[in-house]
Amino acid sequence: MKAMIFSAGKGERMRPLTLHTPKPLLVAGGKPLIVWHLERLAAAGIDEVVINTAWLGDQFAPALGDGARWGLRLHFIHEGDVPLETGGGILNALPILGEAPFLVINGDVWTDADVATLPRTPTGDAHLVLVDNPAQHPRGDFILHADGRVSDDGDSARLTYAGIGVYRPAIIDGWRAVIGETDGASATPPQFGLAPLLRHAMAQGRVTGQHHRGRWTDVGTPERLAQLDAQLQSPHG
């Protein structure tokens, strides 16, 4: 299985830290956030990882090399000065990701989730990792049903998407009909988010998920990065 780490965002909420360092290369617990992901992916048997870049993208290859130190083969895809967003990023990376299901991780989260527990072949178009709602996102994102389906409709309690999932390339099929004439959809290459495609697949019952009850942090502010760093540096981290 191959994986993709979203690393193209500008990290505007993390400024001034991200004025000179892209967010996935910010350090917590003695190593960059993205390195935590690379270690976990390698431990799970992943051997190839696509890293999409935009903001300060020229820093990634010098910092990470070719991936050999983790037993990985890294592919860097520079999207230009303007990120292609999550859906556009996947579409742009499909020539490398191939036709088999692949794993996707947001480069700006930290978690102890074991990606080896994820299905290599989801029953539908996607299988998502969901977590308890953090303080900064109390309403959550999606509903995880008892049968493992994930939906966006209903009054049941919601969980937060952890930024980790296994996707079939089919999640991108027909993206233009789903996205419509949104800003960036007609650009070359196109820019569009993944969330509308996920909700479209959910409406067809083609998204499943699992609840990770362990540690997870959306490193979205300098304060949360400092908190994570302190936790990882502590003797019980």
Side-chain angles (χ1 to χ4, degrees), residues 5-27:
I5 302 178
F6 287 140
S7 304
K10 294 183 177 180
E12 292 177 340
R13 291 179 301 160
M14 293 292 290
R15 292 183 177 178
L17 300 179
T18 50
L19 290 175
H20 306 289
T21 304
K23 187 156 55 167
L25 291 181
L26 293 174
V27 173

Side-chain angles (χ1 to χ4, degrees), residues 4 6 29 33 38 51 53 73 88 100 125 137 144 153 182 185 187 230:
M4 180 174 185
F6 287 140
L33 293 170
L38 294 174
I51 298 172
T53 69
R73 181 182 176 191
D125 291 333
H137 191 56
L144 178 61
D153 296 322
T182 57

Side-chain angles (χ1 to χ4, degrees), residues 21 106 124 127 227:
T21 304
N106 289 358
H127 182 88
Q227 291 170 1

Side-chain angles (χ1 to χ4, degrees), residues 140-162:
D141 297 312
F142 306 124
I143 299 168
L144 178 61
H145 299 272
D147 62 359
R149 288 184 305 109
V150 175
S151 74
D152 190 38
D153 296 322
D155 298 326
S156 301
R158 291 173 177 262
L159 297 171
T160 291
Y161 175 47

Side-chain angles (χ1 to χ4, degrees), residues 72-235:
L72 298 170
R73 181 182 176 191
L74 302 184
H75 304 270
F76 299 98
I77 300 180
H78 188 63
E79 297 179 349
D81 294 335
V82 179
L84 301 180
E85 301 187 44
T86 47
I90 289 177
L91 178 65
N92 192 51
L94 280 182
I96 297 176
L97 291 171
E99 299 180 356
F102 51 87
L103 194 150
V104 169
I105 300 182
N106 289 358
D108 58 357
V109 302
W110 185 94
T111 182
D112 63 358
D114 183 0
V115 295
T117 66
L118 299 176
R120 294 291 176 118
T121 305
T123 56
D125 291 333
H127 182 88
L128 310 181
V129 177
L130 304 172
V131 295
D132 293 335
N133 300 328
Q136 71 271 12
H137 191 56
R139 297 182 62 183
D141 297 312
F142 306 124
I143 299 168
L144 178 61
H145 299 272
D147 62 359
R149 288 184 305 109
V150 175
S151 74
D152 190 38
D153 296 322
D155 298 326
S156 301
R158 291 173 177 262
L159 297 171
T160 291
Y161 175 47
I164 305 169
V166 177
Y167 294 88
R168 291 181 184 270
I171 192 73
I172 300 293
D173 290 351
W175 66 269
R176 190 174 293 277
V178 177
I179 297 298
E181 296 301 321
T182 57
D183 291 343
S186 298
T188 304
Q191 306 158 9
F192 60 93
L194 183 61
L197 305 180
L198 269 176
R199 291 186 171 92
H200 179 73
M202 288 175 188
Q204 301 174 8
R206 296 191 57 79
V207 178
T208 56
Q210 65 190 64
H211 186 182
H212 174 61
R213 293 176 170 82
R215 297 170 64 185
W216 177 86
T217 300
D218 169 18
V219 189
T221 65
E223 292 76 19
R224 291 207 290 274
L225 178 64
Q227 291 170 1
L228 175 63
D229 183 56
Q231 292 169 4
L232 295 175
Q233 296 279 15
S234 73

